[in-house]
Amino acid sequence: MSANQVREQQPVPEQPAAHGQEPVREQDSARERGTVRKRQAVRVQQPVREKLPPRVDAFGGLVIVDKDGGWTSHDVVAKGRGLLRTKKVGHAGTLDPMATGVLVLGVERATKLLGQLILTTKAYTATIRLGQSTITDDAEGEVTATTAAGHLTDAEIAAAVAELTGDIQQVPATVSAIKINGERAYARARAGEEVELAARPVTVSRFDILARRDIDSDGTQFVDLDVDVECSSGTYIRALARDLGEKLGVGGHLTALRRTRVGPFTLEHARTLEQLAAAAEADEDLLSLDIDAAVRTAFPVRDITDAQAGDLRNGRWLDPVGIPGVYAAIDPQGHAVALLKESGKRAASVMVVRPANL
């Protein structure tokens, strides 16, 4: 018998086994290691999911959403990022989860427009309940006081509304997104802290009562008011409800809120998230307005030459022409080149929409 045959007939040594276990042969152990390596190889060889390109170009535009109740503004942005396949999505002006209506999303380059759109006027329809105060000034908070309000006359209510119309000083709601020493007021309030916010100047250009309903609940008479409000950026409708109730001596809070307009963008421009998801599934355009249409819709327009457009794209300024506020510079091809604001002898860029490197 050859040496090789002797080695082949030698028994495979056993590895010591732990107490109560069967001995493990080296051959079995090697076979298991091979199986593990094969499994690892299979995992590595699995195809990587292809990353799909964004549904919009680098300039993007605006998506006007009709937000449903129960969604935070951040939830809507996250959903928009998924539908549009880009992380470059932001919003202009927070809507509370309870509120519905117009939420403006900026996509890609158009996110840089949002800082200007936040400063614009807004319009709402709302329902205010007189006779009950809550810790959050809306229907989602704990009731802190209840006072019968059925005795209030229409004239008394109208007089109190008039005091809250025009240029007023308003203390924001304690659960607002205003930062106090770097932390949101609502976070402090929900943590049980006593939150005190300073009054701020706001403008309520319209505060109209559309309907009155007297409600009898558990023996207490409340008054529900359906109202239309147009106001400046930074106005809190829940604070108007609170302040109206305080002026009438019965307390008040907001029970419903729907934003109908942000600047020039209305519910006519808006689609629900369900409609947007269906449009994405059908591979349809998700933008409500591309960046050029958005700029022309939101700002006054100044027509400029190709040479002036080149100056703006490269960071230079133009001579002023007497247009107040922020306005759009549009080139001969109809493209938005920059947002300008005049000061002294310069019309300087607030934002370059189409820089030279894009």
Side-chain angles (χ1 to χ4, degrees):
M1 182 180 293
S2 69
N4 288 337
Q5 289 175 326
V6 171
R7 281 195 296 268
E8 287 174 1
Q9 291 180 358
Q10 286 178 350
V12 176
E14 296 179 343
Q15 295 179 0
H19 179 70
Q21 294 181 346
E22 292 294 328
V24 179
R25 294 181 179 276
E26 289 183 359
Q27 185 177 353
D28 295 337
S29 179
R31 186 180 299 115
E32 289 173 2
R33 288 197 298 271
T35 302
V36 170
R37 282 196 293 270
K38 286 179 182 177
R39 287 174 182 166
Q40 289 173 340
V42 169
R43 283 199 295 268
V44 171
Q45 291 169 6
Q46 286 178 348
V48 178
R49 187 176 178 181
E50 182 184 0
K51 184 178 181 181
L52 297 173
R55 292 184 185 272
V56 297
D57 63 22
F59 294 106
L62 300 182
V63 177
I64 315 301
V65 178
D66 182 356
K67 187 183 87 66
D68 291 326
W71 287 70
T72 67
S73 298
H74 181 74
D75 290 339
V76 176
V77 168
K79 182 69 173 179
R81 286 171 176 161
L83 293 175
L84 291 152
R85 300 201 296 246
T86 175
K87 293 182 179 180
K88 294 181 181 178
V89 179
H91 68 81
T94 301
L95 264 183
D96 292 332
M98 181 189 84
T100 67
V102 175
L103 184 67
V104 178
L105 302 186
V107 186
E108 295 292 344
R109 184 76 179 167
T111 56
K112 295 185 178 296
L113 297 175
L114 298 177
Q116 296 298 323
L117 296 178
I118 287 173
L119 303 177
T120 193
T121 58
K122 299 175 177 68
Y124 301 85
T125 59
T127 300
I128 296 171
R129 170 157 292 187
L130 298 176
Q132 204 166 53
S133 302
T134 72
I135 195 169
T136 57
D137 302 329
D138 65 16
E140 296 187 332
E142 179 186 348
V143 174
T144 57
T146 299
T147 305
H151 64 280
L152 294 172
T153 66
D154 291 347
E156 289 172 326
I157 294 172
V161 166
E163 292 181 28
L164 293 170
T165 306
D167 296 329
I168 63 172
Q169 293 286 322
Q170 185 186 72
V171 177
T174 55
V175 289
S176 68
I178 294 172
K179 286 187 176 181
I180 305 172
N181 296 327
E183 189 175 5
R184 301 289 185 185
Y186 63 74
R188 290 175 175 268
R190 288 167 184 165
E193 290 186 36
E194 191 74 27
V195 177
E196 291 187 9
L197 298 171
R200 306 188 306 172
V202 298
T203 299
V204 179
S205 51
R206 186 159 69 92
F207 191 173
D208 295 339
I209 300 173
L210 304 179
R212 168 180 175 158
R213 294 183 300 280
D214 287 63
I215 310 295
D216 196 337
S217 177
D218 296 329
T220 302
Q221 277 200 330
F222 302 116
V223 174
D224 281 3
L225 302 175
D226 294 335
V227 300
D228 264 353
V229 178
E230 289 187 4
C231 55
S232 62
S233 176
T235 305
Y236 288 86
I237 309 302
R238 68 172 75 191
L240 282 180
R242 174 201 66 203
D243 294 345
L244 180 62
E246 286 181 358
K247 284 184 178 296
L248 293 166
V250 295
H253 71 276
L254 199 66
T255 61
L257 181 65
R258 181 162 177 76
R259 187 153 67 190
T260 57
R261 180 174 61 81
V262 174
F265 306 113
T266 69
L267 287 167
E268 292 181 2
H269 297 100
R271 287 176 287 177
T272 63
L273 287 175
E274 184 178 356
Q275 290 171 324
L276 288 167
E281 185 69 23
D283 203 25
E284 297 172 356
D285 189 7
L286 299 188
L287 292 180
S288 305
L289 304 97
D290 64 26
I291 198 166
D292 296 317
V295 167
R296 286 194 297 268
T297 302
F299 302 97
V301 168
R302 172 182 174 179
D303 293 322
I304 60 172
T305 66
D306 284 328
Q308 289 173 320
D311 287 337
L312 292 174
R313 286 191 179 101
N314 287 283
R316 292 186 283 273
W317 46 269
L318 303 182
D319 291 330
V321 293
I323 301 176
V326 176
Y327 62 84
I330 307 294
D331 71 13
Q333 291 73 44
H335 295 146
V337 177
L339 299 181
L340 305 180
K341 187 172 184 180
E342 298 182 1
S343 179
K345 296 182 178 181
R346 294 186 177 190
S349 297
V350 173
M351 173 205 168
V352 179
V353 178
R354 280 182 165 79
N357 62 354
L358 261 184

